[in-house]
Amino acid sequence: MQNLYNLAHRHDDDLIDRLAAEHIAYVPFFPLGGFGPLQSATLSAVAARLDASPMSVALAWLLRRSPNILLIPGTSSVAHLRENLAGAGMALSGKEIEELDRIGR
């Protein structure tokens, strides 16, 4: 299953949970915002505290959102690839996840 989904566009929250229960993968379309990157004061603040880019934090949040989420973030540069990979290894605290969850709700 693939639909528009990211920190700011959360219309599929219930669907993702149902798919996870059935062990069905979900691929977020435009995981980093699409044609305009995700922009949020909260996202920027969390990223600054973690000494990370906002896009790395957004990907880290998606990976922790549900075990059935599979990310395919596009990139056109080695720098962005490194930024994407940093998100995969990033640990987010419960407090940070709560802050980020409020962006799309």
Side-chain angles (χ1 to χ4, degrees):
M1 169 61 86
Q2 182 180 34
N3 280 332
L4 173 65
Y5 188 80
N6 56 47
L7 260 172
H9 297 95
R10 307 275 304 278
H11 305 294
D12 278 356
D13 275 338
D14 292 337
L15 175 61
I16 290 168
D17 294 338
R18 287 194 312 269
L19 292 172
E22 297 293 326
H23 307 288
I24 299 171
Y26 183 92
V27 179
F29 188 72
F30 285 149
L32 296 176
F35 299 110
L38 292 171
Q39 295 182 353
S40 160
T42 300
L43 176 59
S44 294
V46 170
R49 286 196 314 266
L50 294 172
D51 193 27
S53 74
M55 297 303 99
S56 293
V57 173
L59 291 174
W61 177 86
L62 279 167
L63 288 170
R64 274 119 194 110
R65 166 61 182 85
S66 183
N68 66 324
I69 288 185
L70 303 175
L71 290 178
I72 308 173
T75 184
S76 59
S77 71
V78 173
H80 287 153
L81 175 61
R82 288 188 180 112
E83 196 173 74
N84 292 347
L85 290 171
M90 186 177 298
L92 297 174
S93 71
K95 180 181 183 271
E96 291 157 348
I97 291 171
E98 286 178 20
E99 285 180 78
L100 295 169
D101 278 346
R102 287 193 293 265
I103 291 171
R105 293 193 177 154

